[in-house]
Amino acid sequence: MLTQRLPLYFRLVRLDKPIGTVLLLWPTLNALWIASDGRPPLGVLLIFIVGTFLMRSAGCAINDYADRDFDKYVKRTQERPLTSGRIDAWEALAVAGVLALAAFLLILPLNGLTKWLSVPALFVAASYPFMKRFFAIPQAYLGVAFGFGIPMGFAAVQGHVPPLAWLLLLANVFWSVAYDTEYAMVDRDDDVHIGIKTSAITFGRYDVAAVMACYAAMFVITGGVGYRLQFGWPFWLGMAVAVACAVYHYFLIRGRERMRCFAAFRHNNWLGAAIFAGIFFHYLLTPAH
């Protein structure tokens, strides 16, 4: 019965682990606030919040489908519903399809450019899990998938995608490489054994340095955007808190201990929240033009 399957589907799409959704949401909110000068239309805001949740959930289902033959060899993923055989592969695909369709239906009231951008957004999100077969740093591809809400947000509010949006997307790519390398450091031994590619394996003994370099690149680009837009002290205070979070992550991951690396990954929620809070309060305290 469906009621008996629902708890398994909830686990399939990680409703019990919302960290992935918020890591998608912060850069999307940043884009909506900047694109609208701090006053995003309520309808657009709700569409993007719900759409972010739906697409992240669909991505989890596709990821588990793609990795169903690998996850059984990874300590952390052996008990996922699909890997453990409690649901079938077709069910994961069906769940992903329904969620992706729901996300598309959500954006139908938006302009044509936003709808067109949803096509590459869907392609990148659906193809990311397969990048681990041959791409040395699939986390960079993930950054594009997790950041596509940025150009879509600008398109929805402004009707076009300015160069600033692509800079923010680039910053998100660096941030994604940083936090997902921390995540990959948790599973590195298992990933080496089963033969998939991750940034933690590619960076090797320079993994910690690479994570910190990616954080630095993200801060430089985001700070450059803030400087270009003449953001005030709330933004720079938020950036300072975010930098402090990254420094804290260094002390968590430098020993490469599994659970401390996972804690650093999860803590990126606060790093993203700090940057958004800086943007939010800048616009809140700045008189409307």
Side-chain angles (χ1 to χ4, degrees), residues 143-273:
V144 177
F146 268 31
F148 230 93
I150 296 170
M152 289 183 66
F154 274 89
V157 173
Q158 297 186 356
H160 71 285
V161 184
L164 204 65
W166 301 114
L167 278 176
L168 289 171
L169 178 58
L170 178 61
N172 192 70
V173 169
F174 280 111
W175 185 34
S176 298
V177 174
Y179 66 63
D180 212 56
T181 299
E182 293 170 342
Y183 188 72
M185 290 167 72
V186 177
D187 298 330
R188 175 161 37 199
D189 293 343
D190 294 323
D191 290 340
V192 169
H193 175 69
I194 61 181
I196 64 172
K197 299 180 184 298
T198 72
S199 55
I201 295 170
T202 300
F203 293 142
R205 62 192 182 97
Y206 300 106
D207 51 358
V208 175
V211 167
M212 301 314 295
C214 287
Y215 277 133
M218 185 269 284
F219 290 137
V220 168
I221 297 170
T222 306
V225 170
Y227 179 80
R228 173 70 179 81
L229 295 175
Q230 299 182 322
F231 280 168
W233 66 265
F235 171 76
W236 298 108
L237 178 59
M239 287 289 289
V241 173
V243 170
C245 288
V247 172
Y248 172 58
H249 296 175
Y250 168 75
F251 289 102
L252 285 176
I253 68 174
R254 62 179 180 173
R256 300 175 175 84
E257 298 172 29
R258 186 181 287 252
M259 294 314 298
R260 288 173 68 84
C261 290
F262 189 60
F265 162 73
R266 290 175 57 86
H267 195 262
N268 276 276
N269 172 44
W270 299 107
L271 190 155

Side-chain angles (χ1 to χ4, degrees), residues 16-100:
D16 56 329
K17 298 175 180 177
I19 180 64
T21 300
V22 294
L23 291 177
L24 268 156
L25 193 58
W26 293 130
T28 303
L29 293 178
N30 293 344
L32 289 172
W33 252 256
I34 292 173
S36 64
D37 285 330
R39 293 160 183 83
L42 180 59
V44 172
L45 181 60
L46 291 176
I47 286 172
F48 273 84
I49 289 174
V50 177
T52 295
F53 165 76
L54 291 173
M55 285 307 299
R56 187 263 176 163
S57 298
C60 289
I62 286 291
N63 182 80
D64 282 12
Y65 172 80
D67 288 349
R68 64 192 185 280
D69 295 325
F70 295 120
D71 282 347
K72 66 183 69 173
Y73 302 109
V74 179
K75 300 180 185 71
R76 188 179 47 79
T77 60
Q78 288 173 340
E79 294 305 314
R80 286 179 175 172
L82 181 54
T83 306
S84 60
R86 282 172 285 179
I87 65 173
D88 294 325
W90 71 265
E91 292 178 271
L93 289 177
V95 168
V98 168
L99 293 171

Side-chain angles (χ1 to χ4, degrees), residues 111-131:
N111 59 43
L113 178 58
T114 308
K115 289 195 277 282
W116 276 112
L117 284 171
S118 72
V119 175
L122 176 61
F123 172 80
V124 173
S127 57
Y128 159 69
F130 301 95
M131 291 295 111

